């Protein structure tokens, strides 16, 4: 398997990093000379490791497009919780057997689109979405379980695309009150 840091980057990814560097200058985190040097490095970057190198020492300047492209949360007869500030990957795989998974996205750094793949057997999953977000659950297959979509919004940002299978379990998607 290829290390994600060695994957090649696109022009939009380079431009995104330059915009983050521009924010860093505006916040007084780097000088104009540092900005020029780092921008040159970002624009010449070939891999994700090259891009991340110009951001690594800048707190709060996380390149969410590059960070954690895919994360798998495995849970067997336990509890998995993510809340508060956390960086959400573009692809989130939830494997839950006889357990509970609670993910609160309201204070998280969320990319524009999040693909959530479910593999749930006799477990429960709760997703708390941020205000203004949207969700599509059309690709979720339920067998002897239930899906409660309390958001019911097809247009919004960020967008959560939920798919996969739930066997004898439950999935609740809602917003914070």
């Amino acid at each position: 398997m290829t290390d994600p840091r060695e994957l090649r980057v696109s022009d939009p990814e380079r431009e995104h990093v330059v915009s983050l560097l521009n924010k860093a200058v505006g916040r007084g985190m780097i000088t104009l000379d540092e900005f020029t040097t780092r921008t040159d490095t970002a624009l010449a970057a070939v891999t994700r490791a090259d891009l991340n190198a110009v951001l690594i020492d800048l707190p709060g300047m996380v390149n969410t497009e590059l960070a954690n492209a895919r994360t798998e949360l495995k849970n067997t007869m336990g509890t998995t919780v993510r809340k508060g500030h956390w960086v959400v990957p573009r692809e989130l795989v939830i494997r839950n057997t006889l357990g509970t998974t609670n993910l609160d996205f309201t204070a998280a750094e969320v990319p524009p689109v999040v693909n959530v793949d479910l593999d749930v057997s006799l477990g429960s999953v709760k997703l708390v979405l941020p205000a203004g977000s949207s969700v599509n659950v059309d690709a979720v297959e339920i067998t002897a379980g239930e899906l409660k979509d309390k958001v019911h919004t097809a247009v919004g940002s960020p967008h959560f695309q939920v798919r996969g299978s739930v066997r004898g379990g439950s999935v609740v998607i809602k917003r914070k009150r």
Side-chain angles (χ1 to χ4, degrees):
M1 187 171 177
T2 304
D3 183 344
R5 292 174 297 191
E6 297 308 314
L7 294 175
R8 298 181 72 85
V9 293
S10 65
D11 286 339
E13 289 172 310
R14 290 181 193 97
E15 291 166 8
H16 177 70
V17 169
V18 170
S19 73
L20 291 174
L21 291 171
N22 195 29
K23 287 180 186 176
V25 169
R27 294 179 184 169
M29 299 170 80
I30 59 175
T31 67
L32 286 175
D33 288 340
E34 288 175 301
F35 171 78
T36 302
T37 303
R38 290 177 189 227
T39 298
D40 290 345
T41 302
L43 292 175
V46 175
T47 66
R48 290 183 172 178
D50 297 337
L51 273 184
N52 287 334
V54 301
L55 298 174
I56 198 76
D57 63 337
L58 300 174
M61 294 286 119
V62 176
N63 183 2
T64 54
E65 287 186 18
L66 302 180
N68 302 326
R70 180 177 195 267
T71 298
E72 188 168 321
L73 301 175
K74 292 181 185 179
N75 181 351
T76 303
M77 297 187 343
T79 302
T80 300
V81 176
R82 297 285 187 277
K83 64 182 180 179
H85 182 268
W86 60 293
V87 178
V88 179
R90 290 186 305 249
E91 186 174 343
L92 191 56
V93 179
I94 300 171
R95 298 195 193 286
N96 184 337
T97 304
L98 294 166
T100 302
T101 302
N102 294 326
L103 304 178
D104 184 341
F105 298 95
T106 56
E109 289 186 43
V110 184
V113 176
V114 179
N115 292 305
V116 180
D117 289 318
L118 299 174
D119 181 7
V120 180
S121 297
L122 302 170
S124 67
V125 174
K126 180 170 70 172
L127 307 177
V128 181
L129 305 187
S133 61
S134 60
V135 64
N136 182 323
V137 295
D138 294 342
V140 177
E141 182 182 324
I142 305 289
T143 306
E146 68 177 333
L147 171 68
K148 291 182 183 176
D149 175 8
K150 297 179 179 183
V151 173
H152 305 297
T153 306
V155 179
S157 182
H159 179 72
F160 292 82
Q161 181 65 47
V162 184
R163 60 182 174 248
S165 61
V166 179
R167 297 167 304 282
S170 66
V171 176
V172 175
I173 301 169
K174 67 179 199 169
R175 288 207 172 90
K176 231 177 201 166
R177 292 183 182 178

mmCIF file of all heavy atoms in Angstrom, residues 79-111:
data_model
loop_
_atom_site.group_PDB
_atom_site.id
_atom_site.type_symbol
_atom_site.label_atom_id
_atom_site.label_comp_id
_atom_site.label_asym_id
_atom_site.label_seq_id
_atom_site.Cartn_x
_atom_site.Cartn_y
_atom_site.Cartn_z
ATOM 1 N N THR A 79 -17.262 1.531 22.678
ATOM 2 C CA THR A 79 -17.795 2.844 22.336
ATOM 3 C C THR A 79 -16.704 3.680 21.688
ATOM 4 O O THR A 79 -15.587 3.755 22.195
ATOM 5 C CB THR A 79 -18.302 3.572 23.606
ATOM 6 O OG1 THR A 79 -19.302 2.761 24.229
ATOM 7 C CG2 THR A 79 -18.886 4.922 23.270
ATOM 8 N N THR A 80 -17.044 4.301 20.565
ATOM 9 C CA THR A 80 -16.149 5.220 19.875
ATOM 10 C C THR A 80 -16.833 6.579 19.863
ATOM 11 O O THR A 80 -17.989 6.690 19.455
ATOM 12 C CB THR A 80 -15.883 4.765 18.421
ATOM 13 O OG1 THR A 80 -15.288 3.472 18.450
ATOM 14 C CG2 THR A 80 -14.963 5.739 17.707
ATOM 15 N N VAL A 81 -16.111 7.617 20.320
ATOM 16 C CA VAL A 81 -16.677 8.970 20.374
ATOM 17 C C VAL A 81 -15.681 9.948 19.765
ATOM 18 O O VAL A 81 -14.486 9.896 20.059
ATOM 19 C CB VAL A 81 -16.980 9.390 21.833
ATOM 20 C CG1 VAL A 81 -17.484 10.827 21.891
ATOM 21 C CG2 VAL A 81 -17.975 8.448 22.474
ATOM 22 N N ARG A 82 -16.177 10.840 18.914
ATOM 23 C CA ARG A 82 -15.408 11.977 18.416
ATOM 24 C C ARG A 82 -16.285 13.202 18.633
ATOM 25 O O ARG A 82 -17.402 13.268 18.128
ATOM 26 C CB ARG A 82 -15.096 11.859 16.918
ATOM 27 C CG ARG A 82 -14.223 10.682 16.533
ATOM 28 C CD ARG A 82 -12.769 10.914 16.907
ATOM 29 N NE ARG A 82 -11.911 9.872 16.403
ATOM 30 C CZ ARG A 82 -11.704 8.695 16.978
ATOM 31 N NH1 ARG A 82 -12.316 8.402 18.089
ATOM 32 N NH2 ARG A 82 -10.893 7.814 16.446
ATOM 33 N N LYS A 83 -15.764 14.178 19.388
ATOM 34 C CA LYS A 83 -16.502 15.418 19.602
ATOM 35 C C LYS A 83 -15.506 16.536 19.844
ATOM 36 O O LYS A 83 -14.310 16.284 19.978
ATOM 37 C CB LYS A 83 -17.502 15.286 20.757
ATOM 38 C CG LYS A 83 -16.876 15.029 22.111
ATOM 39 C CD LYS A 83 -17.956 14.862 23.169
ATOM 40 C CE LYS A 83 -17.325 14.610 24.524
ATOM 41 N NZ LYS A 83 -18.324 14.471 25.575
ATOM 42 N N GLY A 84 -16.001 17.755 19.909
ATOM 43 C CA GLY A 84 -15.098 18.885 20.061
ATOM 44 C C GLY A 84 -14.359 19.142 18.759
ATOM 45 O O GLY A 84 -14.877 18.861 17.684
ATOM 46 N N HIS A 85 -13.124 19.651 18.865
ATOM 47 C CA HIS A 85 -12.338 19.951 17.667
ATOM 48 C C HIS A 85 -11.614 18.702 17.197
ATOM 49 O O HIS A 85 -10.834 18.112 17.939
ATOM 50 C CB HIS A 85 -11.322 21.063 17.954
ATOM 51 C CG HIS A 85 -10.542 21.434 16.743
ATOM 52 N ND1 HIS A 85 -9.339 20.856 16.439
ATOM 53 C CD2 HIS A 85 -10.817 22.285 15.730
ATOM 54 C CE1 HIS A 85 -8.898 21.349 15.306
ATOM 55 N NE2 HIS A 85 -9.776 22.222 14.853
ATOM 56 N N TRP A 86 -11.901 18.278 15.972
ATOM 57 C CA TRP A 86 -11.182 17.180 15.339
ATOM 58 C C TRP A 86 -11.232 17.386 13.834
ATOM 59 O O TRP A 86 -12.088 18.087 13.316
ATOM 60 C CB TRP A 86 -11.710 15.809 15.764
ATOM 61 C CG TRP A 86 -13.155 15.501 15.461
ATOM 62 C CD1 TRP A 86 -14.263 16.085 16.009
ATOM 63 C CD2 TRP A 86 -13.656 14.514 14.553
ATOM 64 N NE1 TRP A 86 -15.408 15.531 15.510
ATOM 65 C CE2 TRP A 86 -15.068 14.554 14.609
ATOM 66 C CE3 TRP A 86 -13.057 13.584 13.708
ATOM 67 C CZ2 TRP A 86 -15.878 13.718 13.847
ATOM 68 C CZ3 TRP A 86 -13.868 12.744 12.957
ATOM 69 C CH2 TRP A 86 -15.258 12.801 13.027
ATOM 70 N N VAL A 87 -10.268 16.825 13.125
ATOM 71 C CA VAL A 87 -10.194 16.968 11.677
ATOM 72 C C VAL A 87 -10.870 15.756 11.044
ATOM 73 O O VAL A 87 -10.471 14.616 11.264
ATOM 74 C CB VAL A 87 -8.728 17.087 11.200
ATOM 75 C CG1 VAL A 87 -8.666 17.177 9.679
ATOM 76 C CG2 VAL A 87 -8.066 18.300 11.836
ATOM 77 N N VAL A 88 -11.905 16.037 10.264
ATOM 78 C CA VAL A 88 -12.705 14.982 9.640
ATOM 79 C C VAL A 88 -12.082 14.627 8.288
ATOM 80 O O VAL A 88 -11.792 15.513 7.490
ATOM 81 C CB VAL A 88 -14.166 15.461 9.449
ATOM 82 C CG1 VAL A 88 -15.004 14.391 8.780
ATOM 83 C CG2 VAL A 88 -14.764 15.874 10.785
ATOM 84 N N PRO A 89 -11.885 13.336 8.023
ATOM 85 C CA PRO A 89 -11.342 12.934 6.723
ATOM 86 C C PRO A 89 -12.429 13.029 5.644
ATOM 87 O O PRO A 89 -13.618 13.110 5.950
ATOM 88 C CB PRO A 89 -10.950 11.471 6.952
ATOM 89 C CG PRO A 89 -11.906 10.999 7.991
ATOM 90 C CD PRO A 89 -12.141 12.192 8.895
ATOM 91 N N ARG A 90 -11.992 12.989 4.395
ATOM 92 C CA ARG A 90 -12.962 12.992 3.287
ATOM 93 C C ARG A 90 -13.736 11.685 3.239
ATOM 94 O O ARG A 90 -14.874 11.663 2.798
ATOM 95 C CB ARG A 90 -12.243 13.214 1.960
ATOM 96 C CG ARG A 90 -11.698 14.613 1.803
ATOM 97 C CD ARG A 90 -11.128 14.811 0.421
ATOM 98 N NE ARG A 90 -10.122 13.801 0.111
ATOM 99 C CZ ARG A 90 -8.827 14.034 -0.009
ATOM 100 N NH1 ARG A 90 -8.375 15.254 0.142
ATOM 101 N NH2 ARG A 90 -7.983 13.074 -0.286
ATOM 102 N N GLU A 91 -13.104 10.602 3.673
ATOM 103 C CA GLU A 91 -13.758 9.300 3.675
ATOM 104 C C GLU A 91 -13.643 8.698 5.070
ATOM 105 O O GLU A 91 -12.558 8.553 5.610
ATOM 106 C CB GLU A 91 -13.123 8.371 2.646
ATOM 107 C CG GLU A 91 -13.860 7.059 2.513
ATOM 108 C CD GLU A 91 -13.305 6.191 1.392
ATOM 109 O OE1 GLU A 91 -12.586 6.708 0.519
ATOM 110 O OE2 GLU A 91 -13.589 4.987 1.417
ATOM 111 N N LEU A 92 -14.797 8.355 5.636
ATOM 112 C CA LEU A 92 -14.863 7.820 6.984
ATOM 113 C C LEU A 92 -15.562 6.465 6.923
ATOM 114 O O LEU A 92 -16.704 6.368 6.470
ATOM 115 C CB LEU A 92 -15.660 8.793 7.853
ATOM 116 C CG LEU A 92 -15.689 8.617 9.349
ATOM 117 C CD1 LEU A 92 -14.288 8.608 9.940
ATOM 118 C CD2 LEU A 92 -16.490 9.730 9.974
ATOM 119 N N VAL A 93 -14.859 5.414 7.358
ATOM 120 C CA VAL A 93 -15.423 4.066 7.365
ATOM 121 C C VAL A 93 -15.724 3.698 8.807
ATOM 122 O O VAL A 93 -14.848 3.774 9.669
ATOM 123 C CB VAL A 93 -14.449 3.040 6.743
ATOM 124 C CG1 VAL A 93 -15.045 1.644 6.779
ATOM 125 C CG2 VAL A 93 -14.081 3.447 5.317
ATOM 126 N N ILE A 94 -16.980 3.318 9.073
ATOM 127 C CA ILE A 94 -17.395 2.938 10.428
ATOM 128 C C ILE A 94 -17.726 1.457 10.427
ATOM 129 O O ILE A 94 -18.696 1.027 9.803
ATOM 130 C CB ILE A 94 -18.613 3.766 10.891
ATOM 131 C CG1 ILE A 94 -18.266 5.251 10.896
ATOM 132 C CG2 ILE A 94 -19.079 3.300 12.263
ATOM 133 C CD1 ILE A 94 -19.459 6.156 11.127
ATOM 134 N N ARG A 95 -16.891 0.666 11.122
ATOM 135 C CA ARG A 95 -17.139 -0.773 11.300
ATOM 136 C C ARG A 95 -17.510 -0.968 12.764
ATOM 137 O O ARG A 95 -16.681 -0.807 13.641
ATOM 138 C CB ARG A 95 -15.902 -1.582 10.944
ATOM 139 C CG ARG A 95 -15.491 -1.423 9.503
ATOM 140 C CD ARG A 95 -14.512 -2.487 9.062
ATOM 141 N NE ARG A 95 -13.901 -2.155 7.798
ATOM 142 C CZ ARG A 95 -14.484 -2.214 6.617
ATOM 143 N NH1 ARG A 95 -15.734 -2.605 6.550
ATOM 144 N NH2 ARG A 95 -13.846 -1.902 5.516
ATOM 145 N N ASN A 96 -18.768 -1.303 13.002
ATOM 146 C CA ASN A 96 -19.302 -1.344 14.355
ATOM 147 C C ASN A 96 -20.071 -2.643 14.560
ATOM 148 O O ASN A 96 -21.068 -2.882 13.890
ATOM 149 C CB ASN A 96 -20.212 -0.121 14.532
ATOM 150 C CG ASN A 96 -20.749 0.017 15.927
ATOM 151 O OD1 ASN A 96 -20.833 -0.940 16.673
ATOM 152 N ND2 ASN A 96 -21.158 1.215 16.271
ATOM 153 N N THR A 97 -19.611 -3.489 15.487
ATOM 154 C CA THR A 97 -20.288 -4.734 15.825
ATOM 155 C C THR A 97 -20.598 -4.724 17.316
ATOM 156 O O THR A 97 -19.681 -4.648 18.141
ATOM 157 C CB THR A 97 -19.403 -5.955 15.489
ATOM 158 O OG1 THR A 97 -19.043 -5.883 14.106
ATOM 159 C CG2 THR A 97 -20.146 -7.256 15.765
ATOM 160 N N LEU A 98 -21.876 -4.731 17.660
ATOM 161 C CA LEU A 98 -22.331 -4.738 19.052
ATOM 162 C C LEU A 98 -21.784 -3.557 19.856
ATOM 163 O O LEU A 98 -21.567 -3.659 21.058
ATOM 164 C CB LEU A 98 -21.938 -6.050 19.751
ATOM 165 C CG LEU A 98 -22.605 -7.312 19.232
ATOM 166 C CD1 LEU A 98 -21.882 -8.546 19.755
ATOM 167 C CD2 LEU A 98 -24.065 -7.348 19.630
ATOM 168 N N GLY A 99 -21.533 -2.440 19.182
ATOM 169 C CA GLY A 99 -20.964 -1.282 19.860
ATOM 170 C C GLY A 99 -21.731 -0.016 19.563
ATOM 171 O O GLY A 99 -22.778 -0.027 18.924
ATOM 172 N N THR A 100 -21.163 1.099 20.032
ATOM 173 C CA THR A 100 -21.767 2.416 19.838
ATOM 174 C C THR A 100 -20.723 3.351 19.244
ATOM 175 O O THR A 100 -19.594 3.413 19.740
ATOM 176 C CB THR A 100 -22.240 2.991 21.192
ATOM 177 O OG1 THR A 100 -23.168 2.078 21.770
ATOM 178 C CG2 THR A 100 -22.887 4.350 21.024
ATOM 179 N N THR A 101 -21.112 4.073 18.209
ATOM 180 C CA THR A 101 -20.241 5.081 17.600
ATOM 181 C C THR A 101 -20.994 6.399 17.587
ATOM 182 O O THR A 101 -22.066 6.495 16.986
ATOM 183 C CB THR A 101 -19.838 4.685 16.165
ATOM 184 O OG1 THR A 101 -19.179 3.425 16.201
ATOM 185 C CG2 THR A 101 -18.917 5.724 15.555
ATOM 186 N N ASN A 102 -20.456 7.417 18.275
ATOM 187 C CA ASN A 102 -21.060 8.750 18.322
ATOM 188 C C ASN A 102 -20.074 9.752 17.750
ATOM 189 O O ASN A 102 -19.013 9.974 18.316
ATOM 190 C CB ASN A 102 -21.415 9.145 19.761
ATOM 191 C CG ASN A 102 -22.500 8.265 20.346
ATOM 192 O OD1 ASN A 102 -23.390 7.817 19.656
ATOM 193 N ND2 ASN A 102 -22.408 8.019 21.631
ATOM 194 N N LEU A 103 -20.456 10.381 16.638
ATOM 195 C CA LEU A 103 -19.594 11.354 15.987
ATOM 196 C C LEU A 103 -20.300 12.699 15.943
ATOM 197 O O LEU A 103 -21.353 12.846 15.335
ATOM 198 C CB LEU A 103 -19.240 10.904 14.564
ATOM 199 C CG LEU A 103 -18.596 9.519 14.447
ATOM 200 C CD1 LEU A 103 -18.334 9.182 12.980
ATOM 201 C CD2 LEU A 103 -17.317 9.450 15.250
ATOM 202 N N ASP A 104 -19.702 13.702 16.589
ATOM 203 C CA ASP A 104 -20.257 15.050 16.629
ATOM 204 C C ASP A 104 -19.382 15.935 15.741
ATOM 205 O O ASP A 104 -18.231 16.195 16.052
ATOM 206 C CB ASP A 104 -20.273 15.561 18.073
ATOM 207 C CG ASP A 104 -20.921 16.919 18.213
ATOM 208 O OD1 ASP A 104 -21.053 17.647 17.206
ATOM 209 O OD2 ASP A 104 -21.294 17.265 19.354
ATOM 210 N N PHE A 105 -19.948 16.396 14.627
ATOM 211 C CA PHE A 105 -19.209 17.189 13.650
ATOM 212 C C PHE A 105 -19.359 18.695 13.870
ATOM 213 O O PHE A 105 -18.824 19.478 13.105
ATOM 214 C CB PHE A 105 -19.709 16.853 12.233
ATOM 215 C CG PHE A 105 -19.490 15.421 11.832
ATOM 216 C CD1 PHE A 105 -20.488 14.475 11.991
ATOM 217 C CD2 PHE A 105 -18.281 15.015 11.289
ATOM 218 C CE1 PHE A 105 -20.293 13.150 11.624
ATOM 219 C CE2 PHE A 105 -18.074 13.698 10.916
ATOM 220 C CZ PHE A 105 -19.080 12.762 11.084
ATOM 221 N N THR A 106 -20.099 19.118 14.901
ATOM 222 C CA THR A 106 -20.451 20.535 15.048
ATOM 223 C C THR A 106 -19.255 21.450 15.305
ATOM 224 O O THR A 106 -19.274 22.605 14.907
ATOM 225 C CB THR A 106 -21.508 20.739 16.143
ATOM 226 O OG1 THR A 106 -21.036 20.181 17.370
ATOM 227 C CG2 THR A 106 -22.827 20.077 15.767
ATOM 228 N N ALA A 107 -18.193 20.972 15.958
ATOM 229 C CA ALA A 107 -17.023 21.807 16.222
ATOM 230 C C ALA A 107 -15.797 21.308 15.458
ATOM 231 O O ALA A 107 -14.680 21.750 15.709
ATOM 232 C CB ALA A 107 -16.726 21.841 17.716
ATOM 233 N N ALA A 108 -16.015 20.400 14.522
ATOM 234 C CA ALA A 108 -14.912 19.780 13.787
ATOM 235 C C ALA A 108 -14.551 20.575 12.540
ATOM 236 O O ALA A 108 -15.320 21.405 12.064
ATOM 237 C CB ALA A 108 -15.308 18.358 13.396
ATOM 238 N N GLU A 109 -13.337 20.313 12.023
ATOM 239 C CA GLU A 109 -12.928 20.848 10.722
ATOM 240 C C GLU A 109 -13.384 19.839 9.682
ATOM 241 O O GLU A 109 -12.839 18.751 9.574
ATOM 242 C CB GLU A 109 -11.416 21.009 10.663
ATOM 243 C CG GLU A 109 -10.895 22.134 11.524
ATOM 244 C CD GLU A 109 -9.406 22.344 11.331
ATOM 245 O OE1 GLU A 109 -8.932 22.319 10.173
ATOM 246 O OE2 GLU A 109 -8.716 22.506 12.349
ATOM 247 N N VAL A 110 -14.428 20.215 8.922
ATOM 248 C CA VAL A 110 -15.089 19.286 8.006
ATOM 249 C C VAL A 110 -14.825 19.700 6.560
ATOM 250 O O VAL A 110 -15.031 20.866 6.209
ATOM 251 C CB VAL A 110 -16.613 19.263 8.267
ATOM 252 C CG1 VAL A 110 -17.303 18.219 7.396
ATOM 253 C CG2 VAL A 110 -16.908 19.000 9.739
ATOM 254 N N PRO A 111 -14.374 18.756 5.704
ATOM 255 C CA PRO A 111 -14.198 19.089 4.289
ATOM 256 C C PRO A 111 -15.568 19.310 3.633
ATOM 257 O O PRO A 111 -16.598 18.959 4.216
ATOM 258 C CB PRO A 111 -13.494 17.858 3.718
ATOM 259 C CG PRO A 111 -13.830 16.748 4.645
ATOM 260 C CD PRO A 111 -14.027 17.370 6.002
#
